[in-house]
Amino acid sequence: WNTSSAEFDSCTVSQNSATTEGGGIYLNGTDAPTFSNGSITTNDAGSNGGGIANYSTGIMLIENVKISANESG
């Protein structure tokens, strides 16, 4: 497993797509990112996690992030 503790500040994740999972963001393994002061909007996934698909055992931190209009399934 790979471990990531990346920090994303004032980022926009928008208008992305995935055939299956994690249209905007896909996490697995022990990923433990921090997202702050940004937005995750209008992303699409075929099955799960239009905006975020989180299968990680790490702890994800989200602060002051607009999450809206994401779709899956």
Side-chain angles (χ1 to χ4, degrees), residues 12-43:
T12 298
V13 179
S14 181
Q15 298 181 352
N16 298 290
S17 64
T19 323
T20 55
E21 300 170 329
I25 298 167
Y26 181 89
L27 304 169
N28 71 3
T30 56
D31 295 341
T34 298
F35 296 94
S36 54
N37 307 309
S39 63
I40 302 169
T41 60
T42 60
N43 299 289

Side-chain angles (χ1 to χ4, degrees), residues 54-69:
N54 185 6
Y55 298 100
S56 174
T57 58
I59 296 172
M60 174 175 54
L61 178 61
I62 299 175
E63 297 178 312
N64 194 33
V65 175
K66 175 184 176 182
I67 302 174
S68 67

